[in-house]
Amino acid sequence: MTVTSLAPASSPVRTTKYRVTGIRVLRSEWAKFWSLRSSWITLGVAVFLLVLFGAIASYTYSPDAVATGGPPGPGSGGGDSDAVGLALTGVTFASLAIGVLGVLLSAGEYSTGMIRSTLAAVPRRLPVLWAKAAVIGPIALVLATVGALAAFQLGTPGLDGERIALSLSDDGVLRSLAGAGGYLGLVAVFGVALGVLIRSSAGAIAALVGVLLILPGLASLLPDSWYDTLSPYFPSNAGSAVYALHETSGALSPGAGLAVFAGWVALTLAGAAFRLRGTDA
């Protein structure tokens, strides 16, 4: 008698294939962004600087300081000052913090080597860049707008009785405060683009500082006719026009300033996309 053992038939292994979609890439970048402690800290620092310097400038404002020979102080600006301009004194400092955060979000992956895993999961590559920009841009816009509103409201009591005092209901105030948030949101996207384009955190941060802060100063060495023509189109000058309450002589209008600065950001994003698509990680 022969005993035959019957081995159980092996059941086929079922594998689930997930498609790489824009929404899934966006969720992944959202999770990565909030999982980093540096994101929380840098965003907090940016909003803190925006509120702190705006409040200090408003409470130390003295229109007569320069005329009497006293120290001007951080808030004195003479007759050209306005309550919104004082409240937004910290935009420059906040732009550096938010721009650096954008750089770290993109170039940081090249420093750690995590970019290889990211691009292996998203072979088409470009959705990674768009997702990073789509995550940090709106976050920076919302938080910066809240910070600008807080700086203005905190500084309002310090300007009580002054000729330059304004309220939120005055013409152009809300537009200027929202413009500051929009500008800082674009700065965050600009930082992401620089990080992907240069692929070095230190190099991208240096480029960010150079473009936003050093370039306008160096341009003053140009002949006056050239400087007057080119100066309004520099990124930081065009960006400052976005949140200016009053259009000054030689400066762009808020709408034109937004278009010019957005054009700089789009141009940098295009360069980042070209390098991301065409070269190895």
Side-chain angles (χ1 to χ4, degrees):
M1 180 178 180
T2 304
V3 179
T4 305
S5 60
L6 298 176
S10 59
S11 58
V13 179
R14 294 184 178 180
T15 59
T16 304
K17 185 177 181 180
Y18 292 97
R19 292 180 56 227
V20 177
T21 64
I23 295 298
R24 285 175 174 151
V25 177
L26 189 64
R27 288 176 180 171
S28 173
E29 293 299 329
W30 176 272
K32 283 194 289 186
F33 179 82
W34 290 115
S35 64
L36 296 174
R37 187 179 301 175
S38 60
S39 299
W40 297 83
I41 295 174
T42 311
L43 284 174
V45 167
V47 175
F48 175 74
L49 292 175
L50 184 59
V51 175
L52 176 67
F53 281 96
I56 290 176
S58 297
Y59 278 94
T60 58
Y61 172 77
S62 177
D64 301 324
V66 178
T68 58
S76 65
D80 294 332
S81 297
D82 58 69
V84 173
L86 294 176
L88 298 180
T89 301
V91 167
T92 299
F93 304 98
S95 67
L96 292 179
I98 287 179
V100 167
L101 178 60
V103 168
L104 295 178
L105 182 64
S106 54
E109 290 200 29
Y110 286 93
S111 301
T112 61
M114 186 178 177
I115 190 65
R116 297 184 182 89
S117 301
T118 299
L119 298 182
V122 188
R124 288 187 297 168
R125 297 190 173 195
L126 291 186
V128 174
L129 176 61
W130 311 143
K132 288 182 183 295
V135 165
I136 195 172
I139 292 174
L141 185 152
V142 171
L143 291 181
T145 302
V146 171
L149 287 168
F152 180 81
Q153 291 292 76
L154 287 174
T156 297
L159 297 173
D160 188 30
E162 296 286 353
R163 180 179 58 86
I164 65 170
L166 295 169
S167 66
L168 286 176
S169 60
D170 288 320
D171 187 38
V173 171
L174 282 176
R175 190 270 307 160
S176 295
L177 298 177
Y183 168 66
L184 292 174
L186 285 173
V187 168
V189 178
F190 188 51
V192 169
L194 284 175
V196 174
L197 181 63
I198 299 176
R199 299 187 174 186
S200 165
S201 297
I205 291 172
L208 178 77
V209 174
V211 169
L212 295 183
L213 295 184
I214 299 176
L215 180 61
L218 291 177
S220 63
L221 301 175
L222 295 172
D224 291 342
S225 58
W226 290 21
Y227 179 79
D228 293 340
T229 302
L230 298 176
S231 175
Y233 298 95
F234 294 149
S236 56
N237 292 344
S240 63
V242 177
Y243 57 85
L245 183 62
H246 304 292
E247 185 178 344
T248 59
S249 176
L252 299 175
S253 66
L258 178 62
V260 169
F261 187 66
W264 280 105
V265 175
L267 183 64
T268 311
L269 273 174
F274 179 80
R275 188 174 188 197
L276 180 64
R277 188 71 179 268
T279 60
D280 292 333

